[in-house]
Amino acid sequence: MTESFRSLLRSLPDFPASLPPFDAKAAESDPALLFQAWLAAALAAGVPQPHAFSLATTTAAGQPSSRMLILKNIDEAGWHFASSATSRKGLELSENPSAAMNFYWPQLGRQVRVVGSVIELSARASAQDWDERPGADGRPNSSWRLYALQPSEIEFWQASADRNHVRYRIELSK
């Protein structure tokens, strides 16, 4: 890269000057509830698509890939997302059923990272998710799968203007 491109990148702003405070010691202990509160704050701040996240998977050989998806739900099964079983991510999940999600809300200087194993939910749940998609026409899609990431680790990250960013990491046992 050229020096001018490097300089351009270095000159770009990182975060807004005013960021929400976050006290990890006083944080909600249930990560799903804390995530819902942060999602509500992102909605209130006008963050577009605050339910979008990057999903990282790997092949059996460890070759990583990532793409953007939409969170469908959080319940006792895990953090839900959907895809075709024949897509690259579907094939990677069949080879190596573990993944990482990363939600990022730059307007608030926040991100949430969720890591764990992935399970396929029932055919009925997958069909229901397919039918509820925008533009659904009632035709079934036998390759559509609803997955749940079962977290082993969740990290809430809050940026700070003084670069003393706050990390709140929760390890979960299954």
Side-chain angles (χ1 to χ4, degrees):
M1 291 284 127
T2 65
E3 187 61 34
S4 62
F5 183 68
R6 181 180 179 279
S7 295
L8 169 70
L9 293 175
R10 297 292 243 165
S11 71
L12 295 174
D14 289 328
F15 298 105
S18 177
L19 295 168
F22 178 58
D23 181 359
K25 293 180 182 118
E28 166 66 53
S29 62
D30 181 331
L33 293 177
L34 180 55
F35 178 82
Q36 289 176 22
W38 277 31
L39 181 69
L43 282 164
V47 174
Q49 292 186 305
H51 58 322
F53 64 94
S54 172
L55 180 75
T57 57
T58 61
T59 64
Q63 180 67 36
S65 64
S66 67
R67 75 287 289 152
M68 298 302 293
L69 296 176
I70 298 294
L71 183 67
K72 304 288 188 143
N73 196 14
I74 300 174
D75 65 13
E76 62 282 346
W79 298 52
H80 298 204
F81 62 93
S83 179
S84 171
T86 60
S87 70
R88 180 175 179 169
K89 71 183 140 311
L91 295 172
E92 289 174 353
L93 289 169
S94 69
E95 293 175 358
N96 183 5
S98 60
M101 299 175 155
N102 193 68
F103 297 84
Y104 179 53
W105 305 304
Q107 297 88 332
L108 301 173
R110 287 181 169 174
Q111 59 183 315
V112 178
R113 188 174 51 83
V114 186
V115 178
S117 59
V118 176
I119 61 167
E120 217 177 271
L121 298 178
S122 71
R124 182 173 176 258
S126 295
Q128 180 180 355
D129 183 74
W130 177 257
D131 291 341
E132 291 174 350
R133 290 170 53 95
D137 61 7
R139 289 185 284 180
N141 181 343
S142 62
S143 70
W144 194 250
R145 299 292 185 274
L146 187 62
Y147 297 95
L149 188 149
Q150 300 178 316
S152 58
E153 174 187 332
I154 301 175
E155 182 181 78
F156 294 83
W157 184 88
Q158 174 65 63
S160 177
D162 65 4
R163 314 280 299 157
N164 288 316
H165 310 308
V166 178
R167 285 179 167 77
Y168 177 47
R169 187 168 171 252
I170 302 164
E171 289 193 44
L172 304 163
S173 58
K174 283 284 175 191

